[in-house]
Amino acid sequence: MSARPGRAASARLVLGAALVALAVTTGMPRGALARDTCYECHRAEKEERLVAPTRNILKDIHFEKGLTCASCHGGDPADSEATAMDPDKGFKEHIEHKSIARLCASCHANAAYMKHFNPRPYIFSIEEFETSVHFKKASLGDTKVATCTSCHGVHGILPHTDPASPVYAQNVPRTCAHCHNAEYMKGRSLPTNQYDLYVTSVHGKALLEKGDLSAPACNDCHGNHGAAPPGLNDISMVCGSCHGREGELFIKSRMKAGMDSLGKRGCVTCHSNHGIQHPSDAMLAVGGKGVCGTCHQPGAACDRATVRIVSGFVGLRDSLALADSLLKLAEDRGMETGLGRDSWKEAQDQQVGVRAGLHSFDSAQITGVLDEGLGLARHAADQARAALRDWRTRRIGMGLSLLAILFVIALVTLKIRQIEARQGPP
Amino acid sequence: MIAALGRWLTDRLGLDTFRELAEHKRVPVHRHSFWYYWGGMTLFLFGVQVVTGILLLLYYRASADEAYESVRFIMAQVSFGWLIRSIHSWSANLMIGAAMIHMFSAFLLKSYRAPREMTWLSGMALLGLVFAFGFSGYLLPWNQLAFFATKVGTDIAGALPVVGHFILVFLRGGENITGGTLTRFFGFHVAVLPAIVTVILGLHLYLVQRHGMSVPPSVEEAQAKPGAPPPRMMKFVPNFALRDAVGWLAALGVLALLAALFPWELGRKADPYAPAPAGIRPEWYFAWMFQTLRMLPSKILGLEGELVGILGITVAGLGWAAVPFLDDPKGRGQRARLWTWIGVVAIVYIIVFTWLTYRDVKP
Amino acid sequence: MKRREFFDWLIGISGTVLGGFVLYPVARYLVPPPTPEAATRRVIAAKKDELQPGSFKTFPFGGQPGILIRTADGEYRAFTAVCTHLGCTVQYRGENKTIWCACHNGTYNLEGANVSGPPPRPLERFDVHVAGDLIMVEKAKGA
């Protein structure tokens, strides 16, 4: 009413001040969320499914970059009434499982858009994703299979470099195992022991216990978005991407040709895939703990070759052990063995090379490297023996000096007696 | 020719005075004469330390980066380096042992009575200096055990009231043990302590010559009885000196045996950031003090148990040093017997507590 | 008298022999050993022209292996040969001009920087000095 024109103005002023006060006292963030009434209302809700999305949203990378609830769910963020959630305004309360990937891709596959946020963005490839089993099953309506939000989370998505993210390197195995376990996968044909095997493996222990982030998790071998059992030309290309030497040698070897003809896969046949343990020399046998027996018959030419190689390996190992025990003996006797230990370390390095060299499955090559190793181990043992000889020399020297001292003591004692005999009693 | 050179030197240097002193010097012969040898034994072992120490100086490097490696170099690469180093480490322990035998025998035989009070006091100062030599030298190889033993030792010094922190910082060359500590300890070990010991040792030896050998009260008593035979004396040169030589040769033999059969270990290079290795204990001559402090309760009459222990040991040490002024001047009577008992108790205490440390604290 | 003279002479001789037993180690000790100091900061890695351009050798340095590389243009580079991933000994691949670790395919460039694979840190670099006939490798100043 014009009779009191200032009243509306002052009411707006008071409301504005109250909102500012509310903003300041409740610590509401400025910027995007300050305009986003969705967050304002939902965080005050009592019903769990309505308030849950607001709990971690402040840490979500999308919100940090200025996006809002409406960016994915549509609707009108500026409208503080229920009319904000009008489907005519594009609001989608619940995004269908099989549509999630396309929704995320609408930004993440758009290079021009992503470049607003990062000069060198990761551009999601929908084509890559379409190669995966997850995509194929999801597009057929399977809602139990993984899509973007299953692994990356939702309403609190963190970059993969953040240790709290479910796709941080160390968290990846557990994230995959969230679904790939016996209970969840009941009724499906896939094996479900991968996680259990992985945590006992060399790679699992390196990543999860030692914190070596370079150790492979599920995605390093299976891919991230195009997750599938490796369908590469050769599995040795997966393993060989880190185990370069072994991969190089194996691809050129007769073993690979043989395995291909039998339809067997390289690397995995002997080392397994998920529960990979530290290889041992015992694996090199047809019987017992050996892996060769998977394909080879006892008594065949390959068996004989194996025996030769194994004896070479054992010979090198024993040679190293002998050198080590000699060095220890010298050290226990107080001798300095620095040079011997240097040689021994060289020999040990050679042993690593020998074990890698095995993957050529070429007797001549393997024997060559083995002989080098044996030579180095022998050198170390020789140096230990020299130290032990020195020790013996010291004892002899000590013995002779003691004899000399005792002899002189005896003479001096006699001299004392002689003098005192002459002197008479004191 | 040599005789002529000898005569020339004797004349120019006035060596006749010394020759006469030596020829006139006599050593009493009695039941307890055995203990007279221990001063000379300590001196001989000290001489071994000086010679081997100077030899080690030719190759040792006193910096945190190089100390451990230089000791390893001496042990592994230098001809007979292992022998010189092992003798130096073993002789240090033998010397301290000889010094303690010398002190305890002097105490129990009451050699500190007038006019030999200064000899006793200078001897106590020398014992303290010898402990300082041992403590400073122990750090020089810069291995784990030495590093942490020095840390514990300087921590204890730092617990003294009022002056403790200053002493700790002075010793360590800072708040913590660093390469600066090593340089400082090296300076103490090869320059400061030798200089001080030279002066006090000179005084100690002069006083021994001036006052002659003390005779224990029991022997004096027997000699004072009417009808007692005249006291037996032995010429210092050649009789006592040759006997000294036998003892010194035996000590040399023991050192050769120890160095060859039990070479001193190198240990692992000191790493200030690694946790202290289990079972640190100081060298045996500090062990009884260490064990005493370990066994005290954490609070005594409202004060820190460790502090009470340190003060107690300090007061006991000062009392011990003041014995010439506290005991009966004639060395007889009830007070004298009390002090003898105190001496025996002290020896037993030290032996037992040293043994306890070795029983309980295993590195 | 003759016996006493003989006896004194015997003491003299055996005392001298004993003195020899004592002085001999001291005399040997005083003569410096072939390497004049502990090889912790610097060491002789190779002889001049021992390495062809484009090749390398590993040498012991302070208890750990080091790698000396002669690049194609004749220049020398030296690094620790201990891979920063899991400690295997690295080697030089002349054809790629990279330092490579056979264990898990880690690669470093000729500055020692870790350029691919698991190694988390670069290789420590050493100084190389050509002193006459010898190639000396020394810990870098300020290291």
mmCIF file of all heavy atoms in Angstrom, chain B residues 156 159-161 289 292-317 349:
data_model
loop_
_atom_site.group_PDB
_atom_site.id
_atom_site.type_symbol
_atom_site.label_atom_id
_atom_site.label_comp_id
_atom_site.label_asym_id
_atom_site.label_seq_id
_atom_site.Cartn_x
_atom_site.Cartn_y
_atom_site.Cartn_z
ATOM 1 N N ILE B 156 72.042 -37.950 30.640
ATOM 2 C CA ILE B 156 72.199 -38.044 32.091
ATOM 3 C C ILE B 156 72.900 -36.798 32.620
ATOM 4 O O ILE B 156 72.507 -36.225 33.645
ATOM 5 C CB ILE B 156 72.965 -39.334 32.466
ATOM 6 C CG1 ILE B 156 72.080 -40.544 32.164
ATOM 7 C CG2 ILE B 156 73.382 -39.315 33.917
ATOM 8 C CD1 ILE B 156 72.757 -41.863 32.384
ATOM 9 N N ALA B 159 70.704 -33.965 33.070
ATOM 10 C CA ALA B 159 69.691 -34.023 34.135
ATOM 11 C C ALA B 159 70.133 -33.319 35.402
ATOM 12 O O ALA B 159 69.344 -33.146 36.325
ATOM 13 C CB ALA B 159 69.354 -35.483 34.439
ATOM 14 N N LEU B 160 71.389 -32.913 35.450
ATOM 15 C CA LEU B 160 71.853 -32.222 36.654
ATOM 16 C C LEU B 160 71.078 -30.930 36.835
ATOM 17 O O LEU B 160 70.730 -30.266 35.857
ATOM 18 C CB LEU B 160 73.345 -31.884 36.537
ATOM 19 C CG LEU B 160 74.317 -33.046 36.730
ATOM 20 C CD1 LEU B 160 75.704 -32.623 36.317
ATOM 21 C CD2 LEU B 160 74.323 -33.482 38.197
ATOM 22 N N PRO B 161 70.829 -30.537 38.088
ATOM 23 C CA PRO B 161 70.080 -29.300 38.297
ATOM 24 C C PRO B 161 70.923 -28.083 37.952
ATOM 25 O O PRO B 161 72.140 -28.127 38.055
ATOM 26 C CB PRO B 161 69.766 -29.324 39.796
ATOM 27 C CG PRO B 161 70.807 -30.179 40.386
ATOM 28 C CD PRO B 161 71.198 -31.185 39.357
ATOM 29 N N MET B 289 77.066 -47.328 37.203
ATOM 30 C CA MET B 289 76.297 -46.095 37.395
ATOM 31 C C MET B 289 74.979 -46.192 36.631
ATOM 32 O O MET B 289 73.911 -45.834 37.116
ATOM 33 C CB MET B 289 77.068 -44.890 36.836
ATOM 34 C CG MET B 289 78.339 -44.572 37.573
ATOM 35 S SD MET B 289 79.017 -43.046 36.894
ATOM 36 C CE MET B 289 80.689 -43.530 36.567
ATOM 37 N N THR B 292 72.598 -48.467 38.416
ATOM 38 C CA THR B 292 72.051 -47.810 39.605
ATOM 39 C C THR B 292 70.886 -46.914 39.207
ATOM 40 O O THR B 292 69.804 -46.977 39.791
ATOM 41 C CB THR B 292 73.131 -46.954 40.298
ATOM 42 O OG1 THR B 292 74.264 -47.759 40.538
ATOM 43 C CG2 THR B 292 72.616 -46.361 41.593
ATOM 44 N N LEU B 293 71.099 -46.092 38.177
ATOM 45 C CA LEU B 293 70.037 -45.183 37.751
ATOM 46 C C LEU B 293 68.837 -45.953 37.234
ATOM 47 O O LEU B 293 67.684 -45.584 37.475
ATOM 48 C CB LEU B 293 70.569 -44.249 36.661
ATOM 49 C CG LEU B 293 71.643 -43.259 37.127
ATOM 50 C CD1 LEU B 293 72.163 -42.446 35.956
ATOM 51 C CD2 LEU B 293 71.109 -42.344 38.201
ATOM 52 N N ARG B 294 69.084 -47.034 36.511
ATOM 53 C CA ARG B 294 67.973 -47.842 35.981
ATOM 54 C C ARG B 294 67.115 -48.413 37.096
ATOM 55 O O ARG B 294 65.907 -48.561 36.945
ATOM 56 C CB ARG B 294 68.530 -49.021 35.159
ATOM 57 C CG ARG B 294 68.511 -48.776 33.678
ATOM 58 C CD ARG B 294 69.296 -49.808 32.912
ATOM 59 N NE ARG B 294 69.209 -51.143 33.437
ATOM 60 C CZ ARG B 294 68.385 -52.087 33.002
ATOM 61 N NH1 ARG B 294 67.563 -51.821 32.029
ATOM 62 N NH2 ARG B 294 68.409 -53.284 33.538
ATOM 63 N N MET B 295 67.752 -48.778 38.198
ATOM 64 C CA MET B 295 67.009 -49.485 39.238
ATOM 65 C C MET B 295 66.302 -48.555 40.203
ATOM 66 O O MET B 295 65.511 -49.014 41.023
ATOM 67 C CB MET B 295 67.968 -50.412 40.016
ATOM 68 C CG MET B 295 68.376 -51.597 39.177
ATOM 69 S SD MET B 295 69.547 -52.672 39.989
ATOM 70 C CE MET B 295 68.520 -53.505 41.137
ATOM 71 N N LEU B 296 66.597 -47.262 40.133
ATOM 72 C CA LEU B 296 65.928 -46.363 41.066
ATOM 73 C C LEU B 296 64.483 -46.155 40.644
ATOM 74 O O LEU B 296 64.191 -46.113 39.456
ATOM 75 C CB LEU B 296 66.651 -45.014 41.090
ATOM 76 C CG LEU B 296 68.005 -45.005 41.809
ATOM 77 C CD1 LEU B 296 68.693 -43.680 41.569
ATOM 78 C CD2 LEU B 296 67.816 -45.238 43.300
ATOM 79 N N PRO B 297 63.580 -45.984 41.630
ATOM 80 C CA PRO B 297 62.191 -45.676 41.278
ATOM 81 C C PRO B 297 62.115 -44.297 40.632
ATOM 82 O O PRO B 297 63.008 -43.485 40.805
ATOM 83 C CB PRO B 297 61.463 -45.703 42.621
ATOM 84 C CG PRO B 297 62.520 -45.526 43.646
ATOM 85 C CD PRO B 297 63.784 -46.069 43.091
ATOM 86 N N SER B 298 61.018 -44.050 39.883
ATOM 87 C CA SER B 298 60.988 -42.813 39.103
ATOM 88 C C SER B 298 60.833 -41.575 39.976
ATOM 89 O O SER B 298 61.169 -40.484 39.568
ATOM 90 C CB SER B 298 59.878 -42.861 38.052
ATOM 91 O OG SER B 298 58.665 -43.151 38.694
ATOM 92 N N LYS B 299 60.326 -41.750 41.197
ATOM 93 C CA LYS B 299 60.216 -40.575 42.066
ATOM 94 C C LYS B 299 60.712 -40.943 43.464
ATOM 95 O O LYS B 299 60.326 -41.970 44.011
ATOM 96 C CB LYS B 299 58.738 -40.131 42.181
ATOM 97 C CG LYS B 299 58.271 -39.269 41.013
ATOM 98 C CD LYS B 299 58.132 -37.801 41.424
ATOM 99 C CE LYS B 299 57.616 -36.914 40.323
ATOM 100 N NZ LYS B 299 58.675 -36.566 39.357
ATOM 101 N N ILE B 300 61.581 -40.105 44.002
ATOM 102 C CA ILE B 300 62.041 -40.323 45.375
ATOM 103 C C ILE B 300 61.835 -39.033 46.138
ATOM 104 O O ILE B 300 62.434 -38.010 45.804
ATOM 105 C CB ILE B 300 63.536 -40.713 45.407
ATOM 106 C CG1 ILE B 300 63.745 -42.025 44.636
ATOM 107 C CG2 ILE B 300 64.012 -40.870 46.841
ATOM 108 C CD1 ILE B 300 65.193 -42.406 44.515
ATOM 109 N N LEU B 301 60.986 -39.091 47.154
ATOM 110 C CA LEU B 301 60.726 -37.901 47.982
ATOM 111 C C LEU B 301 60.368 -36.703 47.108
ATOM 112 O O LEU B 301 60.845 -35.594 47.325
ATOM 113 C CB LEU B 301 61.958 -37.544 48.845
ATOM 114 C CG LEU B 301 62.433 -38.623 49.805
ATOM 115 C CD1 LEU B 301 63.719 -38.164 50.492
ATOM 116 C CD2 LEU B 301 61.374 -38.910 50.866
ATOM 117 N N GLY B 302 59.575 -36.976 46.078
ATOM 118 C CA GLY B 302 59.107 -35.866 45.260
ATOM 119 C C GLY B 302 60.083 -35.428 44.190
ATOM 120 O O GLY B 302 59.747 -34.620 43.323
ATOM 121 N N LEU B 303 61.309 -35.944 44.197
ATOM 122 C CA LEU B 303 62.264 -35.554 43.147
ATOM 123 C C LEU B 303 62.368 -36.672 42.113
ATOM 124 O O LEU B 303 62.055 -37.827 42.405
ATOM 125 C CB LEU B 303 63.660 -35.321 43.748
ATOM 126 C CG LEU B 303 63.828 -34.080 44.619
ATOM 127 C CD1 LEU B 303 65.158 -34.136 45.339
ATOM 128 C CD2 LEU B 303 63.742 -32.816 43.777
ATOM 129 N N GLU B 304 62.826 -36.323 40.913
ATOM 130 C CA GLU B 304 63.084 -37.322 39.870
ATOM 131 C C GLU B 304 64.063 -38.359 40.399
ATOM 132 O O GLU B 304 65.131 -38.005 40.883
ATOM 133 C CB GLU B 304 63.738 -36.640 38.666
ATOM 134 C CG GLU B 304 62.779 -35.913 37.753
ATOM 135 C CD GLU B 304 62.067 -36.874 36.820
ATOM 136 O OE1 GLU B 304 62.697 -37.878 36.423
ATOM 137 O OE2 GLU B 304 60.896 -36.635 36.525
ATOM 138 N N GLY B 305 63.702 -39.632 40.277
ATOM 139 C CA GLY B 305 64.566 -40.706 40.768
ATOM 140 C C GLY B 305 65.954 -40.633 40.173
ATOM 141 O O GLY B 305 66.970 -40.776 40.866
ATOM 142 N N GLU B 306 65.998 -40.356 38.834
ATOM 143 C CA GLU B 306 67.289 -40.326 38.152
ATOM 144 C C GLU B 306 68.159 -39.213 38.717
ATOM 145 O O GLU B 306 69.373 -39.385 38.915
ATOM 146 C CB GLU B 306 67.039 -40.087 36.654
ATOM 147 C CG GLU B 306 68.196 -40.484 35.796
ATOM 148 C CD GLU B 306 67.934 -40.153 34.336
ATOM 149 O OE1 GLU B 306 67.840 -38.958 34.020
ATOM 150 O OE2 GLU B 306 67.833 -41.101 33.541
ATOM 151 N N LEU B 307 67.541 -38.064 39.003
ATOM 152 C CA LEU B 307 68.287 -36.925 39.529
ATOM 153 C C LEU B 307 68.886 -37.275 40.893
ATOM 154 O O LEU B 307 70.065 -36.997 41.169
ATOM 155 C CB LEU B 307 67.352 -35.722 39.655
ATOM 156 C CG LEU B 307 68.012 -34.431 40.122
ATOM 157 C CD1 LEU B 307 69.119 -34.038 39.165
ATOM 158 C CD2 LEU B 307 66.985 -33.322 40.209
ATOM 159 N N VAL B 308 68.058 -37.915 41.734
ATOM 160 C CA VAL B 308 68.556 -38.327 43.049
ATOM 161 C C VAL B 308 69.748 -39.262 42.879
ATOM 162 O O VAL B 308 70.762 -39.147 43.569
ATOM 163 C CB VAL B 308 67.434 -39.028 43.856
ATOM 164 C CG1 VAL B 308 67.987 -39.622 45.137
ATOM 165 C CG2 VAL B 308 66.321 -38.056 44.157
ATOM 166 N N GLY B 309 69.633 -40.172 41.902
ATOM 167 C CA GLY B 309 70.728 -41.108 41.649
ATOM 168 C C GLY B 309 72.001 -40.396 41.249
ATOM 169 O O GLY B 309 73.080 -40.677 41.771
ATOM 170 N N ILE B 310 71.876 -39.443 40.311
ATOM 171 C CA ILE B 310 73.068 -38.726 39.837
ATOM 172 C C ILE B 310 73.709 -37.947 40.972
ATOM 173 O O ILE B 310 74.933 -37.969 41.162
ATOM 174 C CB ILE B 310 72.690 -37.766 38.696
ATOM 175 C CG1 ILE B 310 72.170 -38.563 37.507
ATOM 176 C CG2 ILE B 310 73.883 -36.919 38.290
ATOM 177 C CD1 ILE B 310 71.565 -37.698 36.442
ATOM 178 N N LEU B 311 72.853 -37.259 41.725
ATOM 179 C CA LEU B 311 73.398 -36.466 42.841
ATOM 180 C C LEU B 311 74.042 -37.385 43.875
ATOM 181 O O LEU B 311 75.123 -37.097 44.396
ATOM 182 C CB LEU B 311 72.285 -35.638 43.486
ATOM 183 C CG LEU B 311 71.780 -34.494 42.617
ATOM 184 C CD1 LEU B 311 70.597 -33.798 43.283
ATOM 185 C CD2 LEU B 311 72.891 -33.483 42.364
ATOM 186 N N GLY B 312 73.385 -38.514 44.124
ATOM 187 C CA GLY B 312 73.925 -39.482 45.089
ATOM 188 C C GLY B 312 75.291 -39.978 44.676
ATOM 189 O O GLY B 312 76.241 -40.014 45.471
ATOM 190 N N ILE B 313 75.404 -40.366 43.392
ATOM 191 C CA ILE B 313 76.690 -40.866 42.904
ATOM 192 C C ILE B 313 77.750 -39.772 42.978
ATOM 193 O O ILE B 313 78.910 -40.011 43.358
ATOM 194 C CB ILE B 313 76.559 -41.395 41.456
ATOM 195 C CG1 ILE B 313 75.716 -42.667 41.446
ATOM 196 C CG2 ILE B 313 77.919 -41.649 40.843
ATOM 197 C CD1 ILE B 313 75.425 -43.201 40.058
ATOM 198 N N THR B 314 77.345 -38.525 42.620
ATOM 199 C CA THR B 314 78.296 -37.413 42.679
ATOM 200 C C THR B 314 78.788 -37.192 44.104
ATOM 201 O O THR B 314 79.996 -37.055 44.352
ATOM 202 C CB THR B 314 77.638 -36.112 42.174
ATOM 203 O OG1 THR B 314 76.987 -36.380 40.937
ATOM 204 C CG2 THR B 314 78.674 -35.028 41.987
ATOM 205 N N VAL B 315 77.852 -37.183 45.058
ATOM 206 C CA VAL B 315 78.234 -36.966 46.462
ATOM 207 C C VAL B 315 79.138 -38.096 46.941
ATOM 208 O O VAL B 315 80.164 -37.864 47.596
ATOM 209 C CB VAL B 315 76.968 -36.860 47.336
ATOM 210 C CG1 VAL B 315 77.319 -36.983 48.802
ATOM 211 C CG2 VAL B 315 76.253 -35.548 47.071
ATOM 212 N N ALA B 316 78.797 -39.325 46.556
ATOM 213 C CA ALA B 316 79.622 -40.477 46.953
ATOM 214 C C ALA B 316 81.032 -40.335 46.383
ATOM 215 O O ALA B 316 82.026 -40.606 47.076
ATOM 216 C CB ALA B 316 78.985 -41.774 46.457
ATOM 217 N N GLY B 317 81.104 -39.902 45.104
ATOM 218 C CA GLY B 317 82.407 -39.729 44.474
ATOM 219 C C GLY B 317 83.241 -38.664 45.177
ATOM 220 O O GLY B 317 84.441 -38.843 45.412
ATOM 221 N N TYR B 349 79.919 -53.508 45.352
ATOM 222 C CA TYR B 349 78.788 -52.842 44.690
ATOM 223 C C TYR B 349 79.068 -52.683 43.193
ATOM 224 O O TYR B 349 78.248 -53.026 42.350
ATOM 225 C CB TYR B 349 78.580 -51.473 45.329
ATOM 226 C CG TYR B 349 77.411 -50.700 44.764
ATOM 227 C CD1 TYR B 349 76.137 -50.813 45.312
ATOM 228 C CD2 TYR B 349 77.575 -49.823 43.682
ATOM 229 C CE1 TYR B 349 75.067 -50.097 44.809
ATOM 230 C CE2 TYR B 349 76.505 -49.113 43.181
ATOM 231 C CZ TYR B 349 75.256 -49.252 43.746
ATOM 232 O OH TYR B 349 74.183 -48.545 43.241
#
